[in-house]
Every structure is written in C-alpha cells, then in structure tokens.
Amino acid sequence: MSIPIRGVHHVGMSVPDIAIARRFYIDLLGAEEISAADWEAGNPWIDAIVGLKDSAAKTFIARLKNVQIECFEYTSPRSPDMDPARPVNRFGYTHVGFEVDDIQATYDRMIEAGLTFHTPPDLSTIVTDGDGRKSGFAATYGRDFFGNVFEILEIHDNDMIKPN
C-alpha cells in the first residue's frame, strides 16, 4: 500500500546569508516571497521539529510557479562552511532543476550576475521545424552564490521529459 502524497510543497535549503539567498531566488530568478519569519533560540517546539538544540534562524519562502523554496540562515547553531565545489555525486540532494523558456537568455543573465556553470548549454539539442515548432531539450548545471548546484532546462515536446 502506497502512502498518499498530494505533491511537493517546498524544497528547504540552509544558506550562510539570507540576503544573498534573496538576491538569487527573488531578484535573479524572479520568485515571489510569500512569507518570512525569524525565531530565537529556546523554542522547544521548533527545536523538536528540526532536531537541533537552541536553534535560531531567519527564513523566507519564495514561490517559483509550481514549487516553493524555503531558505534558512541558522544563526544558532551555526553551520561550518560548506565546500562551494561539492561534487554532485555525493549522497544527499544534488540539485534543484528550474524549467525556463529561453535557456540561453537565462544562462547569459546568470553569468552576468556572477554565477558559474559547469558548461554552457548545448543548443544543438533543440530543433526548430519548418513551422517554427521546437522539439528537444537543453540543460546545464550552475552554482548559486554559495556553491549549491541548480539546473536550468529548456524543454520542448520531449517524450522523456514532459514540460509543465
């Protein structure tokens, strides 16, 4: 018997600087901030949920069309620095994928903002027929301002990856 899941509500991410996270998700990606909250150390209810003692954090949730991203900057206990070049083959969540309308324009905008990518998108995988209809898909992995990996994808009429 399977567990009834209604869908993915959000993806949570711990970040070292909440202002820089807002710059990435809201200013650069165009997400809409739908809530923000802080909590001080000494909240046993939150400590029980997150599995930390004397936790304190700043947080926001931002909506990107069909998914919400929840970012936390834990001020207590503070995380050790992360490896900004953490390989994607390490166990755990490896990346968040964002579907875009124009991968080249999105890539160019992100490069201009100072983000890095493993490789430029290969646009030869998107084909336009005589009627102007596109098929295929293009994708590439980038790193946010902290080194977290994200993927941008442009998807057209592809049997393996269905667009939303």
Side-chain angles (χ1 to χ4, degrees), residues 14 33 128:
S14 178
E33 185 170 324
T128 305

Side-chain angles (χ1 to χ4, degrees), residues 13-26:
M13 185 170 306
S14 178
V15 299
D17 187 315
I18 202 86
I20 293 174
R22 277 190 173 96
R23 181 174 164 220
F24 179 70
Y25 289 104
I26 295 167

Side-chain angles (χ1 to χ4, degrees), residues 1 22 36 78 95 102 110 123 135:
M1 175 181 222
R22 277 190 173 96
R78 190 71 180 168
H95 69 279
D102 184 334
M110 290 180 163
L123 302 179
S135 62

Side-chain angles (χ1 to χ4, degrees), residues 1-142:
M1 175 181 222
S2 65
I3 299 170
I5 299 292
R6 294 182 66 190
V8 175
H9 181 268
H10 69 272
V11 174
M13 185 170 306
S14 178
V15 299
D17 187 315
I18 202 86
I20 293 174
R22 277 190 173 96
R23 181 174 164 220
F24 179 70
Y25 289 104
I26 295 167
D27 298 343
L28 190 58
L29 294 182
E32 172 193 5
E33 185 170 324
I34 59 172
S35 70
D38 298 352
W39 75 84
E40 298 297 323
N43 186 322
W45 180 73
I46 292 178
D47 283 355
I49 291 171
V50 300
L52 297 170
K53 184 172 174 33
D54 295 323
S55 70
K58 304 172 196 172
T59 181
F60 72 88
I61 296 178
R63 179 178 292 129
L64 280 163
K65 297 196 182 197
N66 67 336
V67 72
Q68 297 175 132
I69 306 289
E70 184 175 24
C71 291
F72 296 90
E73 179 186 348
Y74 280 92
T75 54
S76 175
R78 190 71 180 168
S79 173
D81 290 340
M82 65 178 275
D83 176 1
R86 179 183 177 268
V88 297
N89 66 326
R90 298 280 171 85
F91 295 130
Y93 294 105
T94 62
H95 69 279
V96 175
F98 300 112
E99 186 177 341
V100 300
D101 291 326
D102 184 334
I103 194 168
Q104 188 64 53
T106 302
Y107 172 83
D108 292 344
R109 183 169 178 232
M110 290 180 163
I111 289 289
E112 185 177 301
L115 298 174
T116 61
F117 284 82
H118 297 176
T119 186
D122 179 358
L123 302 179
S124 70
T125 57
I126 297 176
V127 180
T128 305
D129 69 15
D131 294 327
R133 289 186 305 249
K134 293 182 178 182
S135 62
F137 74 95
T140 189
Y141 279 15

